[in-house]
Amino acid sequence: MANERILVVDDEEDLCEILQFNLEQAGYMVDVAYSAEEVLKQDNLDSYQLFMLDVMMGEISGFKLGTMLRKNDATANIPIIYLTAKYTEADKLRGFSIGADDYISKPYSINEVLARVKAVLKRTSQNAASAAPVKTNEIVPQKEEDVLIFNDLQINLINKTTFIGATEISLTKKEFELLALFLQCRNRVLSREQLLENIWKGESNVLDRTIDVNITRLRKKIKPYDKNLQTKQGYGYIFSEK
């Protein structure tokens, strides 16, 4: 069971209660606050391992609160996940420029939130561990997320499984690698050259048609998310969240 402390900050009390209940069911210790002002009155903020901040709150927004937490030496290294209905690219980039560790748009599924919380906390602990001296032959865990999630589409990079909801999807090695790459680079156009370099690296005589065939097969297997895997004529392919 997890034992990390999490502070959820949102001016919608119902959402706070739902998040608190589900996070506590997952084993976390959770406190809630309904405004940035309430947070700033606390003197124990350094006791948390994660802040989950709504963006649109009263006079002090989540972005402003996040900036203040980053400037405070006691909380500068505590990860932040933004929870918000504002999900334009500009908003997302602003959040990451402040130092966000993840960004989840509303409405969200509880399973997605729990998976992202787990991934952020794991990555934070790995970063702390990587700062320590490494013994000879010791394997340093990768910093990438073990599970990639988009709605109820999930890819586990460790055991190489793919699920849509509770249904496991059978993918070939190339199809799995393609889908993983697209989810890691979602909303970004990947050229054929980039796909060849990352998926078919070192293989000779790979034709453009090979890429097309694999993506066509992949689309058939990941319905209804085949609509998210789009062709950008003359540029390549993109996994769009819209």
Side-chain angles (χ1 to χ4, degrees):
M1 295 290 286
N3 57 6
E4 293 92 342
R5 293 191 68 203
I6 299 173
L7 177 62
V8 176
V9 187
D10 197 314
D11 56 4
E12 296 184 57
E13 294 188 18
D14 289 346
L15 288 180
C16 281
E17 290 178 3
I18 291 171
L19 285 173
Q20 183 177 31
F21 174 79
N22 284 279
L23 287 166
E24 288 180 344
Q25 288 295 106
Y28 301 105
M29 295 179 287
V30 183
D31 295 325
V32 299
Y34 305 120
S35 69
E37 290 83 352
E38 185 178 343
V39 173
L40 296 174
K41 292 178 182 178
Q42 299 186 27
D43 56 7
N44 65 335
L45 292 177
D46 58 347
S47 66
Y48 294 104
Q49 282 71 55
L50 175 66
F51 297 120
M52 301 181 70
L53 311 179
D54 180 38
V55 170
M56 301 175 69
M57 299 187 297
E59 293 185 6
I60 301 179
S61 70
F63 283 151
K64 187 172 182 180
L65 175 59
T67 300
M68 298 169 77
L69 292 171
R70 284 287 175 258
K71 290 182 178 180
N72 185 333
D73 290 341
T75 56
N77 296 316
I78 298 174
I80 295 173
I81 294 178
Y82 284 113
L83 303 168
T84 180
K86 297 185 66 178
Y87 202 67
T88 66
E89 183 176 8
D91 291 322
K92 190 174 181 180
L93 290 174
R94 182 181 177 188
F96 284 123
S97 70
I98 293 171
D101 294 86
D102 207 343
Y103 203 112
I104 305 175
S105 61
K106 298 177 181 178
Y108 43 72
S109 74
I110 290 299
N111 286 337
E112 178 185 7
V113 172
L114 293 176
R116 288 178 179 265
V117 166
K118 182 178 180 180
V120 167
L121 289 171
K122 180 177 181 180
R123 186 165 62 244
T124 303
S125 65
Q126 288 176 346
N127 289 343
S130 65
V134 179
K135 300 178 181 179
T136 305
N137 297 324
E138 182 177 357
I139 298 175
V140 180
Q142 295 181 359
K143 295 180 182 179
E144 66 180 9
E145 295 179 8
D146 292 340
V147 180
L148 303 174
I149 298 173
F150 177 70
N151 295 338
D152 64 346
L153 171 62
Q154 297 189 31
I155 288 186
N156 190 306
L157 298 177
I158 301 300
N159 60 26
K160 310 302 181 187
T161 55
T162 304
F163 283 85
I164 296 180
T167 303
E168 184 170 4
I169 308 303
S170 178
L171 300 179
T172 66
K173 183 174 184 292
K174 296 300 185 188
E175 290 165 353
F176 181 89
E177 292 174 352
L178 277 168
L179 185 56
L181 182 61
F182 280 121
L183 288 181
Q184 289 168 326
C185 302
R186 63 188 72 177
N187 298 320
R188 172 182 168 188
V189 176
L190 300 179
S191 68
R192 293 175 180 274
E193 291 75 15
Q194 289 173 314
L195 294 176
L196 286 171
E197 175 65 23
N198 285 273
I199 307 301
W200 285 271
K201 187 174 183 180
E203 298 183 29
S204 59
N205 300 321
V206 179
L207 305 177
D208 285 352
R209 180 62 179 162
T210 303
I211 299 175
D212 297 336
V213 168
N214 276 271
I215 288 181
T216 298
R217 291 174 178 169
L218 177 59
R219 281 174 171 153
K220 291 180 180 179
K221 293 181 179 181
I222 62 171
K223 291 181 179 181
Y225 299 107
D226 56 315
K227 298 180 180 65
N228 298 91
L229 184 47
Q230 303 167 6
T231 302
K232 292 295 183 181
Q233 197 65 37
Y235 295 98
Y237 296 92
I238 182 174
F239 191 94
S240 174
E241 292 182 319
K242 297 181 180 179

